[in-house]
Amino acid sequence: MKQAIIPAQITTVEDKIVGNLNLTQILILMIPIFWAGLTYILLTPTLSFAWYKLVIFVPVLIASFLLSL
């Protein structure tokens, strides 16, 4: 009877969704998109550009990018 050899570390393989990114990395990269949307909608002036909104958004963008690596 022929037997198949199953690798011992089959559970440590991470699923790659897009390129070399796994699900956790993709979710971390989506955080700035939702954060920017919330700051754009909720802070005054509502639904218009203001420089302080950019100042709030950029650190979250940088932190999420670094964490996804």
Side-chain angles (χ1 to χ4, degrees):
M1 179 177 203
K2 188 175 180 181
Q3 293 182 349
I5 299 171
I6 299 173
Q9 295 186 3
I10 197 166
T11 59
T12 61
V13 176
E14 293 183 7
D15 293 331
K16 302 295 180 182
I17 297 176
V18 177
N20 288 330
L21 300 176
N22 60 21
L23 180 62
T24 306
Q25 290 171 320
I26 291 174
L27 291 175
I28 291 173
L29 286 173
M30 289 173 56
I31 290 172
I33 296 169
F34 293 119
W35 181 252
L38 283 173
T39 57
Y40 185 72
I41 292 170
L42 297 177
L43 298 178
T44 57
T46 305
L47 297 177
S48 62
F49 179 77
W51 285 103
Y52 77 91
K53 292 180 183 181
L54 191 64
V55 172
I56 293 171
F57 168 68
V58 170
V60 174
L61 174 71
I62 293 170
S64 294
F65 178 73
L66 292 175
L67 286 173
S68 70
L69 296 177

